[in-house]
Amino acid sequence: MSIGVTRGVALRGITGRVVDVECHSGQGLPTFEIGGLPDTALRQAPQRVRAAAIAAGHSLNQRQLTINLSPASIPKHGTSFDLGIAVAALTACEVLPAATVRPIVHLAELGLDGRLRHVTGILPAVLAAQEAGCTQVVVAPSDVAEAGLVDGITVSTAATLEDLVDGYRSLAKGEPPPPASVPPEHVAASEGRHLDLADVSGQHEARAALTLAAAGGHHLLLNGPPGSGKTMLAERLVTILPPLTREQALESLAVRSLLGAVPAGIDLAPPFVAPHHSASVPSLVGGGTAAVLPGAVSQAHHGVLFLDEAAEFAGSALQALRQPLESGEVVVARARERVSYPARVQLVLAANPCPCGEGFGKGLNCRCRPTERRAYAARLSGPLMDRMDIQVQVPKVSLADLREDPPDSSEAVAARVMQARSAQAARWPADRWQLNSHVPGPVLRRAPWRLPSATTRLLDRALELGQVTLRGYDRVLRLAWSSADLHGRTIPSVDDVGLALMYRTQGAVAA
């Protein structure tokens, strides 16, 4: 009897747990069984491992092999355990040195010819290994760059299982294995950095609303006719947001890693995700049948989620966004597991005033019946609109707007946004809240952050008249603090509260 042990990682969402891959080699009929709640792809690993081992010159066909993925109570998904199973099996067959392979994490799929192949989720898996105290991982050659983004981990690779076996044998003899070719870390170029807010002609109120939204991380609704520049404004929001920290960038990349979309370097630009209006609920918030994958709201973590033609989205998809907007995470529950993904985003909605798009101003060119206009407006439900901090009208651009001097560039506006965010960082505890939009309402309504009654008089009156809900009341307070930070004030004034209340209610009045 012989036992071989190495390590793998079981992912649940973007969190992972290091798993011991154990192999028992005993006497009896040739078998190859896997235990520990494997999924369908993992149950097919014996065929791949056997063929890869033969290609490496070590047959497992005459062995009775039992694989256990411990702890066995955690569901295991995917093909990333292939390499770990092969290494544990060869160790149990006394091909590899047991002490050498035991502490190393193996993450790769095996081809029938023994090649190490790419798997998704490398970044969150390596992050989980780092948190568990592991110091070395072995991945496929195509995953070396992604694994190398994590500090404190030695990344090794091999082209084939045979090369890996030779490397471990050399290591057991005291010879150092060839290091993996990890490219130097760099900041990936952002696809949206060529955009500039100066490209938007006119729209002074919308530009001011965009700046205020960026300063405090507030959700934004742009309502206006087609061609008024709503999409241009939304696309340029990321150009005035501060760059992500390294930790935030890794969190965002970990979500994208599960979908197999990770750049060669760390992209410090906030992500911008704009799904089509035909998107389903699982594609928007996450889910699926075979595997629970992150949706668009999680892919936009620490960035902007833009829903163009918001009224055309399915009502169920829009309603599914309500909980993530409040909690900052998506929780997908299944019969045997519960998966959570981060979803701290800025939501930007763009909508037309009516189906034909001409129902603005006096609406003389509008061809829609009143019932059609009411039904169209009702697609954006009250509970969802109650979560939109800023609701601004975007009128058509006039000839005078085109002849104006170029407005401030994204660089100039971004400097003002950075100054406002620095004030928020100095005010709020860094381990609890980062932006005004993250601060709970009760905190702002109690000492020492409670504003004088003379400052909130208009807001208090709006609450009494039912013009705003209690949630809306708190969101107006958050927006007022962002306005004060943007204008260099240490405490919101009556004008800040009035401006925040105007942005809160003008969309409802227009609708």
Side-chain angles (χ1 to χ4, degrees):
M1 181 185 72
S2 180
I3 294 180
V5 182
T6 187
R7 289 178 168 181
V9 175
L11 288 176
R12 179 176 294 184
I14 64 168
T15 60
R17 181 168 178 176
V18 174
V19 171
D20 286 336
V21 183
E22 304 170 332
C23 179
H24 171 267
S25 176
Q27 301 295 326
L29 295 176
T31 58
F32 200 145
E33 299 179 351
I34 296 180
L37 293 183
D39 67 349
T40 302
L42 187 49
R43 283 196 296 268
Q44 296 172 349
Q47 288 82 0
R48 296 190 295 271
V49 171
R50 276 175 170 162
I54 292 175
H58 305 282
S59 176
L60 302 176
N61 291 334
Q62 305 303 318
R63 300 279 185 165
Q64 185 186 61
L65 302 175
T66 302
I67 300 292
N68 180 47
L69 305 177
S70 178
S73 60
I74 301 175
K76 318 301 189 304
H77 304 285
T79 59
S80 64
F81 288 97
D82 284 7
L83 184 58
I85 292 173
V87 169
L90 292 174
T91 303
C93 296
E94 300 181 351
V95 175
L96 294 176
T100 302
V101 303
R102 185 182 183 94
I104 300 177
V105 178
H106 296 85
L107 303 168
E109 178 183 326
L110 286 176
L112 299 183
D113 57 356
R115 286 184 297 173
L116 275 62
R117 293 179 174 174
H118 161 78
V119 292
T120 59
I122 284 293
L123 181 55
V126 177
L127 286 171
Q130 178 201 46
E131 293 176 0
C134 301
T135 60
Q136 186 173 358
V137 298
V138 177
V139 299
S142 57
D143 292 330
V144 168
E146 183 177 340
L149 298 177
V150 182
D151 293 331
I153 291 287
T154 300
V155 181
S156 301
T157 189
T160 65
L161 182 60
E162 182 180 7
D163 294 339
L164 184 63
V165 171
D166 293 340
Y168 277 135
R169 286 176 170 175
S170 300
L171 187 63
K173 297 177 181 178
E175 302 174 7
S181 177
V182 180
E185 181 180 310
H186 67 280
V187 176
S190 172
E191 297 179 358
R193 287 305 184 188
H194 65 281
L195 302 177
D196 198 295
L197 196 57
D199 299 335
V200 181
S201 301
Q203 307 300 3
H204 303 289
E205 183 180 1
R207 287 170 54 90
L210 200 71
T211 305
L212 184 57
H218 303 284
H219 305 312
L220 173 66
L221 168 66
L222 302 171
N223 196 321
S228 57
K230 303 186 295 295
T231 302
M232 288 186 66
L233 287 163
E235 291 175 342
R236 283 153 180 78
L237 176 57
V238 293
T239 67
I240 63 175
L241 292 176
L244 302 180
T245 63
R246 177 182 172 83
E247 291 73 17
Q248 290 174 334
L250 285 178
E251 287 180 12
S252 180
L253 289 176
V255 176
R256 296 165 62 183
S257 175
L258 296 174
L259 302 173
V262 176
I266 295 182
D267 190 355
L268 298 181
F272 179 84
V273 180
H276 191 261
H277 59 74
S278 62
S280 62
V281 174
S283 67
L284 199 59
V285 300
T289 54
V292 180
L293 297 177
V297 68
S298 296
Q299 297 171 43
H301 183 52
H302 290 312
V304 176
L305 175 64
F306 175 49
L307 303 186
D308 199 5
E309 304 293 345
E312 301 296 337
F313 279 78
S316 57
L318 293 176
Q319 298 309 310
L321 290 174
R322 288 159 53 180
Q323 181 266 336
L325 293 179
E326 289 293 325
S327 63
E329 69 172 352
V330 172
V331 180
V332 182
R334 292 291 184 265
R336 298 180 60 180
E337 61 180 336
R338 182 175 177 270
V339 179
S340 63
Y341 289 110
R344 184 67 68 182
V345 301
Q346 272 189 263
L347 177 62
V348 179
L349 302 181
N352 295 328
C354 65
C356 75
E358 298 296 331
F360 61 94
K362 295 182 179 180
L364 299 179
N365 297 325
C366 181
R367 303 182 299 274
C368 304
R369 295 189 297 271
T371 55
E372 293 176 332
R373 296 189 61 175
R374 285 195 297 269
Y376 190 79
R379 295 181 183 180
L380 300 179
S381 66
L384 179 62
M385 290 298 96
D386 202 33
R387 290 165 170 80
M388 304 306 297
D389 301 331
I390 303 176
Q391 303 178 26
V392 63
Q393 299 299 308
V394 185
K396 280 192 172 182
V397 178
S398 65
L399 181 60
D401 294 330
L402 295 178
R403 293 178 175 175
E404 286 183 349
D405 294 332
D408 291 340
S409 65
S410 291
E411 183 179 1
V413 177
R416 295 164 51 200
V417 171
M418 181 65 78
Q419 183 178 1
R421 292 207 172 189
S422 298
Q424 296 168 56
R427 179 187 307 120
W428 310 119
D431 58 336
R432 302 187 66 183
W433 314 300
Q434 296 178 344
L435 300 175
N436 291 329
S437 58
H438 300 167
V439 182
V443 174
L444 297 178
R445 288 186 266 110
R446 298 170 185 164
W449 307 112
R450 182 174 58 200
L451 300 179
S453 57
T455 303
T456 61
R457 182 176 62 253
L458 290 176
L459 179 57
D460 296 339
R461 181 63 174 167
L463 180 64
E464 291 179 353
L465 295 176
Q467 295 175 349
V468 296
T469 62
L470 182 57
R471 179 190 287 116
Y473 186 97
D474 293 339
R475 289 185 176 274
V476 170
L477 290 179
R478 296 174 186 140
L479 196 59
W481 278 99
S482 296
S483 176
D485 293 334
L486 201 57
H487 292 89
R489 290 187 279 269
T490 57
I491 188 171
S493 65
V494 175
D495 292 338
D496 293 320
V497 176
L499 178 67
L501 184 60
M502 179 201 70
Y503 278 135
R504 179 76 188 178
T505 57
Q506 74 168 350
V509 172

